Amino acid sequence: MQITEHVHALRIPFQVHLPSGVTLERFVYTFLILGTRICLVDSGVATSETVIFETLEKAGRKPREIDLLVLTHSHPDHIGAARAIREQTGCLVAAHGAEKGWIEDVDLQSRERPVPGFRTLVGGSVPVGRSLADGDEIDLGDGHSLKVLHAPGHSAGSICLLYEKERALFSADAVPVAGEIPIYEDIVESVRTLKRLRALPGVDHLLAAWDRPRQGREVDEAIAGGQQTLQRIHSIVTGLAGKGAPGNPMELCRKALAAMGLPPALANPLIARSFLSSLKVKDGRNLFKA
Ligand SMILES: [Zn+2]
């Protein structure tokens, strides 16, 4: 799907096989920027290179023209096909320094952050040739560039990318999606990131990994919706803790899900970790103020 003159969005469906035998149907978006040089934002899960390369061929371009792969962070659905793409195109891989360790050693990541189906979602480790930091400019050729925004919260080294010339913001997993249970490491950082994204001027296209592309007024509505989701979770979790809820993280997670009207059976350690980050907030009174 073409979004702007140079940006194309690819929706990549995939399955996650849970240990319980249940199969989850999921999808993730990756983005191609087709300029004089070709930049890919995130790689999708393992084997996504097939659909990415097909999209390029249909647009009259060649896979080997990809010269940069920017990974917004190290999670499996973003880095899964990175190794195959680098091997087949020779592209440079760029990511924030804080994500480098888990991208360059996926075995380490699967030990430290085990997620169901990790081995089928990730094709292998890949070297990060360029470490990105907040404020960096990524040259796309012909006077086009991406601005790197460090966007911690979902993960320590998550980044968003601002493509000012085409008024597009690649937000990766920074904005919680309405109706989904958000995953984040640090609610304070997540809220700060959302405030920063919401204040950016001139964004007409919000391009997230887990949501369809949003345009115009929908951009602010989507980010505001993400803020409301975090506020609701924070108030439920701190409320439960105030009532002397169980110290067991999974139990607290199940209770919080139930209070949100969601099945407690959805609880898992990643969600528990997200919710628990609310209990580390020393003074949350100003957290959600504009
Ligand atoms: Zn993620």
Side-chain angles (χ1 to χ4, degrees), residues 5-6 8 32-39 52-67 140 142:
E5 188 183 348
H6 293 97
H8 294 247
L32 278 163
I33 305 171
L34 304 183
T36 44
R37 303 157 73 178
I38 295 180
C39 171
I52 292 168
F53 293 167
E54 278 170 10
T55 304
L56 278 176
E57 305 268 5
K58 274 188 211 146
R61 306 291 296 261
K62 296 269 177 283
R64 64 167 185 277
E65 291 181 72
I66 298 178
D67 72 357
L140 300 174
D142 257 357

Side-chain angles (χ1 to χ4, degrees), residues 41-59:
V41 178
D42 285 330
S43 76
V45 295
T47 73
S48 297
E49 68 276 10
T50 308
V51 59
I52 292 168
F53 293 167
E54 278 170 10
T55 304
L56 278 176
E57 305 268 5
K58 274 188 211 146

Side-chain angles (χ1 to χ4, degrees), residues 278-284:
S278 277
L279 303 184
K280 294 184 202 140
V281 180
K282 294 248 172 7
D283 181 1

Side-chain angles (χ1 to χ4, degrees), residues 147-163:
K147 188 171 180 190
V148 175
L149 308 172
H150 185 207
H154 177 70
S155 71
S158 278
I159 54 168
C160 295
L161 300 164
L162 183 62
Y163 188 6

Side-chain angles (χ1 to χ4, degrees), residues 50-264:
T50 308
V51 59
I52 292 168
F53 293 167
E54 278 170 10
T55 304
L56 278 176
E57 305 268 5
K58 274 188 211 146
R61 306 291 296 261
K62 296 269 177 283
R64 64 167 185 277
E65 291 181 72
I66 298 178
D67 72 357
L68 180 66
L69 166 59
V70 183
L71 300 173
T72 58
H73 61 294
S74 60
H75 292 163
D77 48 333
H78 300 259
I79 69 158
R83 183 183 183 137
I85 290 166
R86 184 176 176 273
E87 277 173 1
Q88 292 178 55
T89 67
C91 67
L92 179 73
V93 177
H96 191 277
E99 303 285 315
K100 200 172 150 149
W102 279 1
I103 295 169
E104 294 190 333
D105 186 349
V106 296
D107 292 331
L108 178 71
Q109 178 177 171
S110 92
R111 285 197 300 276
E112 293 184 346
R113 187 180 186 269
V115 296
F118 189 95
R119 295 285 155 201
T120 51
L121 297 176
V122 178
S125 306
V126 73
V128 174
R130 179 174 172 190
S131 282
L132 299 170
D134 190 62
D136 283 357
E137 293 276 340
I138 297 171
D139 181 21
L140 300 174
D142 257 357
H144 289 245
S145 65
L146 297 174
K147 188 171 180 190
V148 175
L149 308 172
H150 185 207
H154 177 70
S155 71
S158 278
I159 54 168
C160 295
L161 300 164
L162 183 62
Y163 188 6
E164 282 173 317
K165 243 185 181 153
E166 301 205 342
R167 304 175 77 84
L169 175 67
F170 301 91
S171 58
D173 292 345
V175 181
V177 182
E180 301 257 346
I181 306 166
I183 303 286
Y184 47 89
E185 292 179 357
D186 185 326
I187 192 163
V188 175
E189 297 280 20
S190 275
V191 171
R192 270 192 206 131
T193 287
L194 291 181
K195 282 181 190 167
R196 184 179 183 198
L197 297 184
R198 217 175 156 190
L200 289 172
V203 177
D204 290 340
H205 306 274
L206 183 69
L207 305 173
W210 283 18
D211 192 19
R212 67 174 172 81
R214 302 278 165 177
Q215 335 277 346
R217 256 209 340 242
E218 289 182 334
V219 172
D220 189 61
E221 286 167 5
I223 304 174
Q227 287 176 317
Q228 283 156 15
T229 301
L230 291 182
Q231 187 162 13
R232 182 155 179 255
I233 292 170
H234 186 71
S235 99
I236 286 172
V237 172
T238 51
L240 284 169
K243 281 189 210 139
N248 176 331
M250 288 300 283
E251 190 54 30
L252 181 64
C253 183
R254 280 190 281 270
K255 284 203 180 297
L257 286 168
M260 292 168 76
L262 294 165

